Amino acid sequence: MSNINIAIDGPAGAGKSTIAKAIAQKLDMIYLDTGAMYRGIAYKAIKNKISPTDENKVLPMLENTELRIKYDEDGQHVLVDDEDVTLFIRTPEISRGASDISAIPAVRDKLVEVQREIAANNNVIMDGRDIGSYVLPNANYKFYVTAKPEERARRRFNELKEKETLGNKTLHDILEDIITRDKNDSTRAFAPLKKVDDAIEIDTTEMTIAESIQSVINIVKKA
Ligand code: DC
């Protein structure tokens, strides 16, 4: 029997990872946060003072980078050259860097290969920007989870505040970051963020987390 693959795409802060994690737990599947992989590569570049937009410097770095995904009781860990970077990749600087570095085709090729291999060997629910359109075009289910930018900014602001990683950012700064990232992610030439025709769109602007999760579960369970 082949594995079940669920793709969840959408812009930053729409609730993809919260939904995907909950579904993975309920349906006993693996959850793969592909954004964390781009964040891992961006982390290494920034640590080595390489600009994430500088393809000439990113490419040689990439050739000497090993990226692995590991799971334990806290969920997914991203290992870059055996360093567990999971706790260091959620800052606004890395968010921007990941968006920039993800526009480089060689970066995408390398990470997509790992993503497809995980999907071939496991029942997986994967979230990202290009999962339904490019990574897993034959996924059993495809969702496009979105929400208004102002609502996404509000959620991200509260999340960073709670984790005490907000720094001196205002809600307005976060909204600007989100708008820039949306534009970056959906206008890049290779595998941009987009809703494919066979994806089911879920707009979570007016939904609670529980309602968002339930709306996806209902569709998967019905089929
Ligand atoms: O989902 P996230 O915010 O952690 O993703 C960080 C960045 O990585 C995002 O701005 C674009 C990029 N990304 C991508 O291009 N393709 C994916 N499948 C996942 C993330």
Side-chain angles (χ1 to χ4, degrees), residues 25 30 34 56 97-98 150 168 174-175 183 190 193-194 210:
Q25 206 176 29
I30 282 186
T34 63
N56 290 331
E150 292 73 17
N168 49 15
I174 305 275
L175 178 60
K183 184 157 171 267
F190 185 36
L193 165 68
K194 71 165 183 224

Side-chain angles (χ1 to χ4, degrees), residues 16 34-36 38-39 90 98-99 102 108 128-131 181 185 188:
K16 300 183 298 289
T34 63
Y38 291 94
R39 287 171 182 271
R90 297 288 155 196
S99 181
S102 73
R108 307 199 69 81
R129 304 292 186 288
D130 60 337
I131 310 304
R181 209 135 74 85
D185 295 347
R188 66 168 178 246

Side-chain angles (χ1 to χ4, degrees), residues 8-63:
I8 301 197
D9 292 300
K16 300 183 298 289
S17 66
T18 309
I19 295 175
K21 260 186 223 158
I23 309 263
Q25 206 176 29
K26 275 194 197 248
L27 303 183
D28 198 20
M29 302 174 80
I30 282 186
Y31 162 54
L32 181 65
D33 169 2
T34 63
M37 300 168 72
Y38 291 94
R39 287 171 182 271
I41 301 291
Y43 171 84
K44 178 167 175 182
I46 290 168
K47 192 172 142 191
N48 288 289
K49 309 228 172 339
I50 293 173
S51 161
T53 55
D54 187 344
E55 195 164 345
N56 290 331
K57 296 218 172 101
V58 170
L59 293 186
M61 178 197 90
L62 198 64
E63 280 180 20

